Amino acid sequence: MESNEQRVFEVVRSKVLDVLDVSAELITPETSLVDLGANSIDRAEVAITSMEELGLKIPRSEFAGVSNLEALVKLFCFHLGEGEAG
Amino acid sequence: MSGPRVVVTGIGTVNSVARNASEFAGSLRDGRCGIAPLDYSEEAPVRAAAQVGDFEWPAHKGLKNAPRSARLSAAATAEAIEQSGLGSSGGDRERIGLLVAGSNLHQELVVDGVTQFIEEPAWLNPRYALTFLDTFQVGLLTEMFAIHGPSFTVGGASASGNVALIQAFHSIRSGLLGACVVVGASADITPVELQALATIGAASPGSSRPFDASRDGFVWGQGSGAVVLETEDSARRRDAHVLAELSGGAIFMDGNHLTDSSRAGEARSMTKTLDVSGLVAANVEYLNAHATASRMGDETECAAIRDVFEGSLDTLFVNSTKSLIGHCLSAAGVIEAIACILQMEGGFLHPNLGLDDPIDDALRFTGARAEEVPVRTAMSNGFGFGGFNTSIILKASPVE
């Protein structure tokens, strides 16, 4: 993972720990929130609180294809990049 | 009204002077006061509250990031259910119901949500969709304790606790339920509600002195209480220890949407309760008054007590638990019912703190220290904005 992705991943990891009772080592890029026992509200909470910390606003529809944490991190990084370009 | 006896087999509470019911018994006897300074801002009209400090709640996923009130409810309910032996499995769970007493329980969360929404709607926590509802607690507690009978919230302003106990009483008496858990939920109120309550003169700047000439309003108390009610047969079948009997209760509405208390209305809820319980005034030895320390409210209640207990005032002790733990609003009725049970069990009546100059010489208030008095029959009043007048009667165990 690139350093920017690593930083975003750490944000997501900390939000997962806030929302779910799981040990930190289980939270890897390959894991999905469903694998970690998250329900739909938990998943939305991880996404929204991560966006808040990263200063992002991403439409709900863009999360449709996200199947694991790596994809979530890439989505966030894509929008962070857009922000920098703009 | 006929039907099976309704008994109490479990109690639990977390409040400003106790983390559980046995600690509460000690605090009541010692007259511990939970009121402490509250620092919102220099200009705040309310400067004290009886808040709960750190406390433990049961390990349950739904309690992670849950409102404080829900955690307090869960802690009290777990204690009451454990004592009753009702558990979280076994028996016919469709015959068990759960009532959460109170409305607008998560105001702190609502204020935070509104603040976030004004700042940036996109970042509003999605959990708000669940937790702004008071019924979040009903769902959570029925999940935790596998309760599948009719369950809902019950609102009656500051009388909510008694209203819920009375609703549970009738549900059990009528045969709808075999057991019912009644949870008095803590109201997570905020500086917004305190500001309005202070402006109308209901909330005191900082002291709770029920029945005293210098009283100037109520002090908000945090806290939750839970009781398990069931038929005597249901308790026997499980070999549960009976703590007390809820022998009756009544609600009388003034037909008034304002804050005014009514002498006639309060007297009517007390006399109706005596009728439902098959008792006369002289049978009641102790009255746990609603007495919030409001100027008008305490005076009205004293007059109503004189009307109902005329002829037996010499043998009736009166106190207000709000002098120790403040006014626990929606939870007050349930916590005060627990206080009645603990006092009957312990053979004492707790002090009325701050009562130096009683407003009514005809009533026999407890003083600065606990009275060692055996009590077998206690009445507890609960009144609320909007013309709610409620009373209940509890009898000591063993039930006669």
Side-chain angles (χ1 to χ4, degrees):
Chain A
M1 256 194 226
E2 292 170 23
S3 65
N4 197 37
E5 284 188 11
Q6 191 60 46
R7 180 181 73 85
V8 171
F9 180 73
E10 288 311 322
V11 169
V12 171
R13 188 207 293 263
S14 77
K15 298 306 172 192
V16 172
L17 288 171
D18 286 345
V19 174
L20 301 174
D21 278 319
V22 292
S23 52
E25 63 267 24
L26 290 176
I27 307 167
T28 65
E30 298 75 33
T31 349
S32 75
L33 288 170
V34 174
D35 294 340
L36 294 172
N39 59 38
S40 61
I41 302 282
D42 296 335
R43 298 199 296 276
E45 191 173 16
V46 168
I48 299 283
T49 55
S50 298
M51 284 198 290
E52 182 181 7
E53 182 148 342
L54 296 166
L56 292 171
K57 283 183 268 177
I58 303 171
R60 191 183 151 80
S61 57
E62 291 193 34
F63 289 88
V66 171
S67 60
N68 63 11
L69 295 184
E70 188 175 15
L72 185 64
V73 168
K74 282 191 186 302
L75 178 68
F76 288 154
C77 287
F78 172 73
H79 283 272
L80 283 170
E82 265 191 342
E84 280 162 19
Chain B
M1 181 183 160
S2 61
R5 283 186 188 206
V6 178
V7 297
V8 180
T9 55
I11 54 177
T13 183
V14 182
N15 56 58
S16 59
V17 298
R19 296 291 172 277
N20 53 56
S22 67
E23 222 177 282
F24 191 35
S27 295
L28 290 171
R29 189 188 277 274
D30 296 345
R32 277 186 58 203
C33 182
I35 298 169
L38 180 68
D39 286 322
Y40 281 139
S41 80
E42 289 293 317
E43 295 82 36
V46 172
R47 308 306 300 273
Q51 290 183 286
V52 175
D54 294 334
F55 68 101
E56 283 182 23
W57 56 88
H60 186 271
K61 185 178 180 292
L63 287 169
K64 200 170 164 78
N65 303 323
R68 187 178 176 82
S69 173
R71 290 173 170 171
L72 284 163
S73 291
T77 305
E79 186 189 2
I81 286 188
E82 186 180 340
Q83 184 179 29
S84 73
L86 214 55
S88 50
S89 64
D92 183 353
R93 309 304 284 187
E94 286 187 38
R95 295 272 300 149
I96 307 172
L98 181 137
L99 303 181
V100 170
S103 312
N104 314 104
L105 299 171
H106 309 145
Q107 286 301 108
E108 196 173 5
L109 178 118
V110 171
V111 168
D112 289 349
V114 170
T115 306
Q116 174 64 68
F117 185 83
I118 290 167
E119 210 172 286
E120 178 48 72
W123 296 336
L124 177 68
N125 193 309
R127 201 166 294 279
Y128 185 87
L130 297 178
T131 48
F132 85 91
L133 297 165
D134 293 328
T135 45
F136 171 75
Q137 296 200 21
V138 178
L140 181 75
L141 296 170
T142 54
E143 175 183 306
M144 288 177 72
F145 302 104
I147 289 170
H148 297 293
S151 301
F152 41 90
T153 57
V154 176
S158 294
S160 294
N162 269 4
V163 173
L165 287 166
I166 293 163
Q167 175 65 31
F169 172 81
H170 289 300
S171 297
I172 294 169
R173 270 268 171 117
S174 68
L176 177 70
L177 294 172
C180 188
V181 185
V182 178
V183 185
S186 188
D188 287 342
I189 62 170
T190 73
V192 178
E193 289 75 37
L194 290 174
Q195 179 79 33
L197 289 163
T199 303
I200 64 165
S204 161
S207 67
S208 176
R209 301 168 70 93
F211 301 123
D212 190 77
S214 72
R215 72 198 181 285
D216 59 0
F218 78 82
V219 168
W220 166 50
Q222 274 185 344
S224 60
V227 303
V228 174
L229 298 174
E230 57 188 309
T231 63
E232 204 175 13
D233 282 351
S234 161
R236 273 216 192 97
R237 276 199 300 277
R238 279 199 337 281
D239 214 14
H241 174 59
V242 171
L243 300 167
E245 177 188 359
L246 176 59
S247 67
I251 303 171
F252 178 83
M253 299 303 293
D254 288 328
N256 170 15
H257 76 284
L258 298 170
T259 61
D260 326 24
S261 49
S262 149
R263 177 177 179 170
E266 293 179 7
R268 189 72 192 111
S269 82
M270 289 187 262
T271 53
K272 277 179 79 173
T273 299
L274 289 168
D275 291 346
V276 172
S277 305
L279 297 171
V280 294
N283 297 134
V284 179
E285 302 150 299
Y286 163 53
L287 179 76
N288 187 303
H290 178 67
T292 65
S294 121
R295 293 294 309 170
M296 185 56 78
D298 286 17
E299 212 172 280
T300 307
E301 188 171 10
C302 286
I305 294 168
R306 272 189 269 115
D307 292 344
V308 175
F309 292 94
E310 188 188 11
S312 64
L313 287 170
D314 290 350
T315 55
L316 179 78
F317 271 103
V318 179
N319 67 14
S320 168
T321 308
K322 295 176 181 80
S323 70
L324 307 176
I325 58 170
H327 185 356
C328 294
L329 304 172
S330 39
V334 179
I335 296 177
E336 288 162 21
I338 291 169
C340 288
I341 293 166
L342 293 171
Q343 290 174 99
M344 289 195 287
E345 206 173 42
F348 73 94
L349 293 176
H350 73 68
N352 264 305
L353 300 184
L355 180 53
D356 300 327
D357 186 6
I359 55 169
D360 196 318
D361 293 337
L363 302 191
R364 193 177 181 190
F365 300 111
T366 61
R369 287 196 179 72
E371 302 271 355
E372 301 296 320
V373 191
V375 169
R376 298 212 43 87
T377 307
M379 179 183 277
S380 179
N381 282 342
F383 310 131
F385 289 174
F388 285 90
N389 302 286
T390 69
S391 307
I392 60 166
I393 289 180
L394 290 152
K395 288 183 179 170
S397 184
V399 173
E400 286 161 2

